[in-house]
Amino acid sequence: MSDPFPIAVLISGSGTNLQALIDSSDRGELGCDIVVVIADRPGAGGLDRARRAGIATEVVGWDDHTDRASFSCAIADTIERHGARGVVLAGFMRILAPDAVHRFPNAIINVHPALLPAFPGADAVPSALSYGVTVSGVTVHFVDDMVDHGPIIAQEAVRVFPHDDEEALHRRIQAVEHRLLPEVVAAFGRGDLAVDGRHVVWTTSADVSR
Ligand code: GAR
């Protein structure tokens, strides 16, 4: 058996997606070793989840840096210092500068709570609701230089019901995220994802993208 692929998980919030990755790892399904969890602020609730799981934690404070470039460089340095070769943005609400993204080519995965290219950005769930769509969903994609734009690895639709509020819709979206993200990260760790331009080819039968 080959060694598990070392990944860093970046968070800003409560870290339920991080927890899904930890749970998958505990079940022996992730095939990746979460070597560090990095938050952009000390109060991120997901840091406690990481500590409880015995995972190293780091805070690279957005407020401690003068601009996006220096913040992103500090994040990339921290990832490399812990030996991670892949990165998962699990509710990480900052945009990494291109120089940092280029240090991990086709190796940064983001989970987004909408069907991209619809509703990119930080307010995807309320934006989908106020637009009046009847279907939204989850996108897991590789990160490139543009916001919520890189090659799509997997998507899954979630129905929007007439009386949904943001909390109800986001709860159903997150239930999908918690299943889809670990499946994608496991495939990535096995080396099963090949990027061809905007397309991601699943090289095994584990394809959850369709
Ligand atoms: C998740 O729903 C994720 O899709 C979203 O933040 C939430 C974090 O929840 N990310 C974005 O909106 C990124 N644009 P969590 O901290 O409980 O995993």
Side-chain angles (χ1 to χ4, degrees):
M1 271 251 299
S2 55
D3 288 340
F5 190 83
I7 60 169
V9 180
L10 275 53
I11 59 166
S12 298
S14 68
T16 63
N17 278 287
L18 166 66
Q19 189 66 54
L21 294 169
I22 292 170
D23 293 346
S24 171
S25 177
D26 288 348
R27 291 193 302 271
E29 294 171 1
L30 195 61
C32 291
D33 186 16
I34 306 173
V35 293
V36 64
V37 170
I38 305 171
D40 61 349
R41 57 188 186 90
L47 288 169
D48 283 335
R49 298 179 189 271
R51 290 185 194 110
R52 278 199 297 276
I55 300 168
T57 61
E58 299 270 7
V59 175
V60 177
W62 172 258
D63 295 337
D64 300 332
H65 293 82
T66 49
D67 56 25
R68 184 178 313 283
S70 67
F71 168 78
S72 304
C73 182
I75 291 266
D77 289 347
T78 306
I79 293 167
E80 286 180 350
R81 185 157 42 79
H82 282 268
R85 291 160 53 211
V87 184
V88 180
L89 310 186
F92 184 66
M93 303 306 277
R94 305 289 176 190
I95 294 156
L96 292 173
D99 282 353
V101 172
H102 295 165
R103 286 164 67 173
F104 309 95
N106 292 332
I108 307 177
I109 290 171
N110 182 45
V111 59
H112 184 74
L115 293 176
L116 293 172
F119 311 116
D123 298 317
V125 178
S127 298
L129 270 179
S130 55
Y131 197 90
V133 294
T134 59
V135 177
S136 190
V138 175
T139 302
V140 186
H141 66 97
F142 284 117
V143 172
D144 68 5
D145 282 7
M146 293 162 65
V147 177
D148 295 331
H149 173 271
I152 289 170
I153 308 169
Q155 290 187 301
E156 190 168 313
V158 173
R159 279 288 309 275
V160 181
F161 298 120
H163 301 295
D164 266 342
D165 59 14
E166 181 179 340
E167 192 189 333
L169 177 58
H170 204 169
R171 196 180 318 116
R172 291 203 309 285
I173 284 174
Q174 286 200 314
V176 173
E177 291 179 341
H178 298 163
R179 173 171 43 75
L180 202 56
L181 182 63
E183 287 177 355
V184 167
V185 172
F188 172 70
R190 288 192 303 267
D192 285 353
L193 304 179
V195 180
D196 177 14
R198 277 216 55 83
H199 298 267
V200 177
V201 180
W202 289 64
T203 57
T204 66
S205 57
D207 189 344
V208 296
S209 66
R210 60 196 80 236

